[in-house]
Amino acid sequence: MSATTRRFPTQEELRVWRDFLETGDLVRAELTARLQQSSGLSPGDYAVLLALSEAVGQRLRSSELAATIGWERSRLSHHLGRMEKRGLIRREECLTDNRGHEVVLAPEGLAAFQEATRPHLRDIRELFVDALTPDQLAAAGQIAAALRAHLVRG
Amino acid sequence: MSATTRRFPTQEELRVWRDFLETGDLVRAELTARLQQSSGLSPGDYAVLLALSEAVGQRLRSSELAATIGWERSRLSHHLGRMEKRGLIRREECLTDNRGHEVVLAPEGLAAFQEATRPHLRDIRELFVDALTPDQLAAAGQIAAALRAHLVRG
DNA sequence: TCAAGCTGATTGACGTGTCAATTATGCCCG
DNA sequence: CGGGCATAATTGACACGTCAATCAGCTTGA
């Protein structure tokens, strides 16, 4: 088969591509709605609260928190501003570095997180794990790995 | 195995879940960056322009356009405002229904779309189709179908 | 006919994300 | 010491998305 005939995806390949992405979005959207419903938290809130709840003293420097959850600092800064307004976290001066801030888990934040966790994990099982056969679950992992490897290699 | 032991996902299942979603995002992000790079268009712009380019007279009523690309009307309205400012589309009064508007593909929009299409399709092939074996591609389709079916059934 | 309600589309408020610029502080080296 | 660079974090401008409210024009039924 010549290079020319393989230049563009077929209709079927495009369909799989769109299905693949859109389905991920649909599952994510449903999970987000349930999380919101059960706890009033967004996925971003949940990620922040999870990281803080696991930190010693339930506090982290902003940049450590950003690294832990894999966010850009400016994104985190904006998000923390919104979470602080809602009383989920506090920001305190950092004693060892006057430039830095420590993000502290507030009681309201801990409560919301604890309330969210079990239903959230159950929902992940329900919407993702239970929807797939063991073979499909394994395939999903391999597909993700293959896509990532291809991305990195270029 | 008791119901209790299966209440929550295992570490491995959670890892696959996160990998699956994050990888989709990574691929999408790379594709978005390339589209932006090559044509200055966002995925939303591209969807709108694709629908318009295929419409007779390269024009559509707002609500038909929204239905075609599966967007809420308010989302479309906001997006069209931004696209109109950039000269990619125009909005005209609808002759048969004074409430309605027609969205018209502008020359700049057509040019940008035509410039975007080939590289975009090539990128989808490169980043998605070529990354997977035929088996994996088929599995991806089946996984998406299984997740969707599970979502609908509840 | 005309008030009541339906529909097409826009708008405003706000949450979320990126990028670039800014501010303040720490640190290093001549 | 102190000028210059690196680092911590925030800020502002903007793109994008959802939801609820709004507004204008169509449509219908007593």
Side-chain angles (χ1 to χ4, degrees):
Chain A
M1 147 176 354
S2 80
T4 313
T5 66
R6 287 186 53 78
R7 188 181 296 146
F8 299 125
T10 65
Q11 289 300 314
E12 173 62 11
E13 287 165 345
L14 273 182
R15 191 192 60 69
V16 173
W17 155 251
R18 277 194 288 261
D19 262 26
F20 184 75
L21 281 202
E22 280 168 21
T23 301
D25 285 348
L26 283 177
V27 175
R28 195 204 319 263
E30 175 63 23
L31 203 68
T32 298
R34 293 190 188 186
L35 181 61
Q36 172 74 43
Q37 173 71 32
S38 74
S39 67
L41 298 176
S42 71
D45 299 334
Y46 187 81
V48 167
L49 295 176
L50 171 58
L52 286 179
S53 74
E54 288 177 342
V56 281
Q58 305 192 323
R59 62 178 54 224
L60 280 173
R61 288 285 295 271
S62 276
S63 45
E64 295 174 67
L65 178 51
T68 301
I69 61 183
W71 286 12
E72 291 188 15
R73 279 215 299 254
S74 103
R75 174 181 178 186
L76 181 59
S77 202
H78 285 300
H79 204 94
L80 291 179
R82 294 186 295 264
M83 291 181 74
E84 196 168 29
K85 256 196 312 199
R86 293 191 286 150
L88 298 173
I89 55 111
R90 287 195 324 276
R91 280 191 270 209
E92 294 181 357
E93 302 294 313
C94 178
L95 301 176
T96 63
D97 185 339
N98 285 319
R99 290 169 305 183
H101 284 164
E102 280 195 328
V103 184
V104 187
L105 186 53
E108 289 90 334
L110 181 58
F113 174 71
Q114 287 174 340
E115 200 174 304
T117 296
R118 289 173 155 272
H120 189 53
L121 290 175
R122 201 152 45 224
D123 288 340
I124 291 176
R125 164 167 279 292
E126 244 181 76
L127 295 176
F128 183 71
V129 181
D130 284 352
L132 303 178
T133 66
D135 276 1
Q136 284 175 331
L137 194 66
Q142 285 158 16
I143 287 168
L147 289 173
R148 245 177 234 265
H150 200 72
L151 257 189
V152 173
R153 285 202 316 270
Chain B
M1 150 176 350
S2 79
T4 313
T5 66
R6 287 186 53 77
R7 187 181 297 145
F8 298 125
T10 65
Q11 289 299 314
E12 174 62 11
E13 288 165 344
L14 272 181
R15 192 192 60 69
V16 172
W17 155 251
R18 278 194 288 261
D19 262 26
F20 184 76
L21 281 201
E22 280 168 21
T23 300
D25 285 347
L26 283 176
V27 174
R28 192 204 320 261
E30 175 64 22
L31 203 69
T32 297
R34 292 190 188 186
L35 181 61
Q36 172 73 43
Q37 172 72 31
S38 74
S39 66
L41 299 176
S42 70
D45 299 335
Y46 187 81
V48 167
L49 295 176
L50 172 57
L52 286 179
S53 75
E54 289 177 342
V56 282
Q58 304 192 326
R59 62 176 55 225
L60 280 173
R61 290 284 296 270
S62 276
S63 45
E64 296 174 64
L65 178 50
T68 302
I69 60 183
W71 286 11
E72 290 187 15
R73 279 215 302 259
S74 106
R75 175 181 178 186
L76 180 60
S77 200
H78 285 300
H79 204 93
L80 291 178
R82 293 187 294 263
M83 290 180 75
E84 196 168 29
K85 256 196 315 200
R86 293 191 286 149
L88 298 173
I89 54 113
R90 288 194 325 276
R91 280 191 270 208
E92 294 181 357
E93 303 295 313
C94 178
L95 301 178
T96 63
D97 185 339
N98 285 320
R99 290 168 304 181
H101 283 163
E102 280 196 327
V103 185
V104 187
L105 185 54
E108 289 91 332
L110 180 58
F113 174 70
Q114 286 174 341
E115 200 175 304
T117 296
R118 289 173 154 272
H120 188 55
L121 291 176
R122 202 152 45 226
D123 288 339
I124 292 176
R125 165 167 279 294
E126 246 181 75
L127 295 175
F128 182 71
V129 181
D130 283 352
L132 302 177
T133 66
D135 277 1
Q136 285 176 331
L137 195 65
Q142 285 158 17
I143 287 168
L147 289 173
R148 245 176 234 265
H150 199 72
L151 257 190
V152 173
R153 285 202 318 270

